[in-house]
Amino acid sequence: MPVWGGPHERETDRANGVRAIKTVRTAVFFHAHPDDEALLTAGTMAMLAAEGHRVVLVVATSGERGQADLEPGEALGAARVAELYRSAAALGCARVVNLGYGDSGLAPGGGIADDRPDNAFIDADTEEAARRLAAILAEEDAHLLTTYDPAGGYGHPDHVQVHRVGARAAEIAGTPIVLEATVNRDPLLRGIRLISRFYPQLDIRAFESAYSPGEAITHRVAVRRFARQKRASMAAHASQATGADTRTLGVMLKVPRPLYRLIFGTEWYVQRGLPPGTKLRHPFEVPSKG
């Protein structure tokens, strides 16, 4: 695969002696743990890769304290990183980077776990972590960085730290577009209520304040054409889709394919500083002036 940096022109296929010139860019997708990319941004990543852009996936941790049949620790971390690479391959990523911080984990009632490792991402110096990410953004001459919203979606401490570190890294590197990967809370709640009829174990209350309301969404990216790649990305994270407990990823993979394209056919982002009511359809799109 050719290596491209920031926005520049690249010659594409010739037809009837006429050169087609296309602008290509680099997009860096920053996530907390392996499998987060599958849930929030996989369709967008596959779309940009198919368009010829360079897609880079960065994770802060190996997810070694996630729920799985394996006991939390080094073995689970290694398994999840292997799954991450399989997911990245399915999406067409050109590069994968693991920053190597420890998974902060969750306390039984949510929030920050007391027994987290010494190098837990939530305890990392924000400025230092941001400079590490900024170095990648500069090396890649990235045009776009995705992070999470200030609440970290559903409040996981590592996701909140992704927001803080990502925002600062973009400032340091001068990355022009920063999109906060999120979910439109309005259809999410409708979908959760429907699914809960079949899976009553799901706690609807946990989603009532999660992610972002529809009025805050600035980018609605249609990814139905890349449902196959998105589903393959989810399936790559087998450790997070199986087990005795009802797992969100496992439930999603059981959705029939036609319905899957409908439910997961849009990915949502918030770009701060845009006028209220902004509605964009592509990660690289900018609001028209006037």
Side-chain angles (χ1 to χ4, degrees), residues 237-271:
H237 295 284
S239 71
Q240 302 304 293
T242 58
D245 297 333
T246 300
R247 310 297 302 279
T248 301
L249 201 56
V251 171
M252 290 177 174
L253 286 169
K254 291 179 181 178
V255 174
R257 292 181 185 275
L259 186 58
Y260 182 97
R261 293 180 71 250
L262 178 64
I263 295 175
F264 302 108
T266 302
E267 291 177 347
W268 297 273
Y269 302 89
V270 175
Q271 184 175 356

Side-chain angles (χ1 to χ4, degrees), residues 29-43 45 57-68 76-77 79-88 91 96-98 103 106 148 154 156 158-159 181 183 211 229-242 247-253 260 264 267:
F29 290 78
F30 183 35
H31 288 282
H33 318 98
D35 90 344
D36 290 333
E37 85 289 346
L39 295 167
L40 290 172
T41 64
M45 297 166 74
L57 173 57
V58 179
V59 293
T61 80
S62 298
E64 69 276 8
R65 304 193 71 207
Q67 295 179 326
L76 176 57
R80 295 193 68 181
V81 168
E83 292 172 347
L84 180 72
Y85 275 88
R86 287 194 286 272
S87 168
L91 299 176
V96 178
V97 180
N98 183 355
D103 184 350
L106 283 171
Y148 302 143
Y154 63 94
H156 192 296
D158 283 337
H159 290 221
V183 174
Y211 301 106
Q229 293 92 325
K230 183 167 182 171
R231 195 177 183 109
S233 172
M234 288 185 178
H237 295 284
S239 71
Q240 302 304 293
T242 58
R247 310 297 302 279
T248 301
L249 201 56
V251 171
M252 290 177 174
L253 286 169
Y260 182 97
F264 302 108
E267 291 177 347

